[in-house]
Structure formats: C-alpha cells, structure tokens
Amino acid sequence: MSPVSEEALRRAFELLSEEIRRCTLCPLAASRTHAVVYRGSLRPRLVFVGEAPGRAEDLAGQPFVGRSGRLLDRAIDQLGSGLGAYGVLNVLKCRPPENRFDPHAARTCRPYLDRQLGLLRPSALVPLGTKALAALEPGAPAILEVAGRPRRFADRWGFPLIHPAAALRSTRLHRRWDQDVQALGSWLRRGALETL
Ligand code: URA
C-alpha cells in the first residue's frame, strides 16, 4: 500500500471518527453519552484493544480513562521508550448498559474496528481480556492460557494481556498483569516490532 500523507490520514481518521460519534446502527446509541473512538498516535506501532467503554469513558468520550485506564497508563509508562507510538481503542464504541458486553452490538460495530486498524496500520495489537481477544481471534483459548506471550492473529501479531479491570479485582491477577506487562516489555526490547 502506498504511504498516506499525514494530512490525508488525519482527515480520513477524523471522518471515520465523526461517523462513529454519530452512529445509530445499534440500540447502544440510545443510552450512550458519547461514543468512544480512540486515543493515541495516528501512526501507532502497537494498539491496545479494550472491550467496551465503561461509565468514566462514556462520560469523557475517551477510552480507558477510569480505574482500568489508570492501570493501563501505568503499564504504558513502565514500557517506556521501548513501546514507541501507541494507541488505545475498544471493540465496542458505546457503553453497554450495566457494562455487559453485547456480542450482537459487537458484530454491528466490527467494521469500525477494522476500518480504524486499516488506517492506523499498527505492527501489533494488544487485546485486553477475553472479549477483545475473541474479537481478534474467534475461538481463541481462554485469556489466562495465552496472556503474556506473543500470538499470531489472522493478519498481524499480537500480545494478549488480561483485562486491567480483572487485575484490579484480585491480588493474584494483579501479579499476573505485572508479570505479563514485563514480558511485553521484554518482547518489545528484543525488537519484536521491527521484525514483524
Ligand atoms: N474497559 C474497557 O474495556 N475499555 C475502556 O475503555 C474502559 C474500561
């Protein structure tokens, strides 16, 4: 694919973002405050993929700005310069009532994720938790079996992690989160993204 100029990319991504913000294709549109599109670089090496906005994200219109987001941002700080440019988004763009992930809405929403990734063209994806992993790899094993190791998806590499909300719920899973973030850091320091 030919390289896209910064300005053309910015415009195409903004048009897509506006389409997502105005979307009424599924019932979640009726209960949202804001659709939650993306935060990060338009030329990310790595994109973190969450499940769906929670209450804080719905109010702010930004992904991962609540408690889970603070843990994710700490991990991003720890990864430091080895991470480089990155982005954060969700499979579902609107908050599901009671934060219950809605597979039907996820199917309707899916083309937005594919179009975002088509423009951003990251080298690798980091699905956060079971639902994000399943969206990238239908039929994938349980997240605890595969988190903390690189994994091949259909069209790119990934490095699944457990969801930060799970890490906040138990000491055991917090330890697992810390270990897996360290493993992601080692993978990046070994130059994994340069060789994909
Ligand atoms: N959990 C997610 O999966 N995504 C968010 O944006 C916030 C919490």
Side-chain angles (χ1 to χ4, degrees):
M1 214 192 282
S2 62
V4 182
S5 80
E6 203 66 37
E7 179 55 20
L9 174 60
R10 198 190 56 71
R11 243 181 308 132
F13 200 77
E14 186 44 42
L15 275 178
L16 172 57
S17 301
E18 196 49 35
E19 191 181 330
I20 296 171
R21 285 193 283 265
R22 291 171 188 273
C23 179
T24 53
L25 290 177
C26 88
L28 298 189
S31 55
R32 74 176 176 226
T33 311
H34 294 106
V36 174
V37 180
Y38 182 70
R39 69 175 162 102
S41 165
L42 289 185
R43 302 246 192 228
R45 297 193 329 145
L46 196 138
V47 168
F48 295 89
V49 182
E51 299 180 355
R55 188 175 136 76
E57 291 76 21
D58 173 70
L59 292 174
Q62 290 279 320
F64 280 101
V65 293
R67 279 188 77 218
S68 297
R70 285 194 287 281
L71 187 58
L72 177 61
D73 283 344
R74 267 215 305 280
I76 287 169
D77 282 349
Q78 281 163 21
L79 294 169
S81 58
L83 172 59
Y86 69 90
V88 182
L89 47 65
N90 284 304
V91 173
L92 271 182
K93 307 307 182 199
C94 296
R95 183 191 185 199
E98 291 158 41
N99 297 336
R100 233 179 251 139
F101 189 84
D102 177 340
H104 180 70
R107 275 193 293 280
T108 308
C109 215
R110 179 55 193 244
Y112 291 138
L113 175 64
D114 292 334
R115 287 167 65 195
Q116 287 181 303
L117 295 176
L119 288 170
L120 297 168
R121 299 174 67 199
S123 302
L125 300 174
V126 176
L128 299 166
T130 307
K131 306 290 187 332
L133 175 63
L136 300 177
E137 184 186 343
I143 188 75
L144 283 171
E145 281 177 42
V146 300
R149 287 194 305 274
R151 187 168 182 84
R152 183 75 199 166
F153 299 132
D155 54 354
R156 47 168 74 77
W157 281 88
F159 198 104
L161 295 176
I162 63 170
H163 196 285
L168 288 169
R169 279 197 296 268
S170 107
T171 312
R172 181 177 65 84
L173 290 179
H174 207 303
R175 226 175 289 128
R176 175 68 187 266
W177 166 265
D178 288 339
Q179 279 168 6
D180 292 350
V181 168
Q182 278 186 24
L184 172 58
S186 307
W187 187 63
L188 294 171
R189 278 194 303 279
R190 287 198 301 274
L193 298 188
E194 283 72 33
T195 57
L196 296 180

